[in-house]
Each structure stands twice: as C-alpha cells, then as structure tokens.
Amino acid sequence: MENQTADIEWKDSGVPVSSKFDDPYFSLDNGVEETQHVFIDGNDLTNRFRDGFRIGELGFGTGLNFLVAWDAWARHGAKGTLHFTSFEAFPMSSEDIGDARRAVPAWDGLADAWFLDGFSPAKNPELWEPELLHDVARHTAPFGTAATYTAAGAVRRALESAGFAVE
C-alpha cells in the first residue's frame, strides 16, 4: 500500500475529522486536555523524563500529541534531548511518515513510552492488530509504557498478549 494523504473534513468548531475513518483527530471538547490525561499522565511522563527519553507514537495525525509532549518536557525543565518517533499512514501533508504496520517492524529504535493513538479500533482495526502491538512491544525499552484512550477488549487482550501489563 502506497502512502496516501489524509482526507479531512473540518467541522465548524475547527476540529478535523477523518473522512476515511469517520473519526475526529482529537477530542471535540479539548484535545490538549485529552492528550495530557491519556498520554502524558497515562505514561507518567513528567516523573520519567530524562535526557535521551524516547516516545513512539502510532498515528501522528495533526501533531497535537507531539506538541503537548514537547510542552510537558519544557515545563518539566528536562535537560538534554527528547526523541519522538511517529508512524502515520495517511499524513496531513506529503511528508514521508509511513504505515505503522510496515514501519514499526523495520524501525531500529526503542521507545520508553508509546502513544497508541490510531482512530477508533472499530473504524481502523488495522492499527490495533495483535501482530502490530507485538511489534510495538518488541520496540519498547525495559520498563517502557504504553497509553491509549481505548478500552476495547480486543485491544486490551492484544496488549496483554504482547507482554504489556494492562491497567
């Protein structure tokens, strides 16, 4: 499958919605608060940040998670380098980001924390397949974490099967 660009419908509220997945890119109420709660707090990042900290993300979308993570890093006063690697099959621009199902297994990096932020598992099941989540686990550093907004049973079981402790 060749990379395609995103097909976006912009709501009157200013929130982008994927036409392909019929799902918003972030919370209709407050995307920044959602990212803070789910990914920053969910991975306990402000207590874990250190020089060279690595975040992996499935689903770059608008880049909101990256910006919130960068802001949390700066507000925390962390020194050194923060690494952020994201995988996106349908980028909002023509940049080469890549389908996570192909790019994660080929990636030679590790992440200390993952933001599992694909569209809803019911609308984008490919991003939540057990095989991909096993690849995520293989690319997770010791004591690494993953956070997601979804509580879908199939996703929970796939994460547990991949070796994550799910809570």
Side-chain angles (χ1 to χ4, degrees):
M1 180 174 146
E2 193 172 307
N3 283 356
Q4 303 171 18
T5 57
D7 185 10
I8 301 168
E9 175 187 343
W10 290 90
K11 297 297 183 185
D12 291 340
S13 65
V15 173
V17 175
S18 167
S19 298
K20 178 176 179 56
F21 298 108
D22 188 31
D23 211 8
Y25 277 83
F26 46 79
S27 167
L28 299 174
D29 296 323
N30 191 320
V32 172
E33 283 183 9
E34 176 187 50
T35 296
Q36 180 68 44
H37 175 73
V38 173
F39 300 117
I40 307 303
D41 299 344
N43 279 301
D44 193 27
L45 293 187
T46 56
N47 290 317
R48 297 174 58 213
F49 279 147
R50 67 183 187 303
D51 183 22
F53 194 84
R54 301 158 295 184
I55 296 172
E57 177 185 50
L58 302 185
F60 184 76
T62 64
L64 179 64
N65 297 337
F66 167 73
L67 295 173
V68 172
W70 185 13
D71 181 63
W73 172 269
R75 283 186 290 110
H76 179 68
K79 303 291 185 218
T81 304
L82 171 65
H83 300 273
F84 194 100
T85 303
S86 188
F87 303 92
E88 176 64 63
F90 301 97
M92 294 182 94
S93 70
S94 61
E95 294 176 11
D96 181 18
I97 301 172
D99 186 330
R101 293 173 294 167
R102 289 193 316 254
V104 171
W107 184 41
D108 64 358
L110 292 175
D112 296 298
W114 282 94
F115 296 177
L116 304 180
D117 192 26
F119 290 108
S120 162
K123 297 179 179 185
N124 185 20
E126 295 84 8
L127 201 58
W128 304 99
E129 291 175 347
E131 183 177 297
L132 176 56
L133 296 179
H134 277 273
D135 286 326
V136 166
R138 285 188 320 100
H139 291 279
T140 302
F143 307 106
T145 59
T148 183
Y149 62 88
T150 187
V155 172
R156 294 174 65 88
R157 289 187 295 279
L159 287 168
E160 287 173 338
S161 172
F164 288 100
V166 178
E167 46 181 84

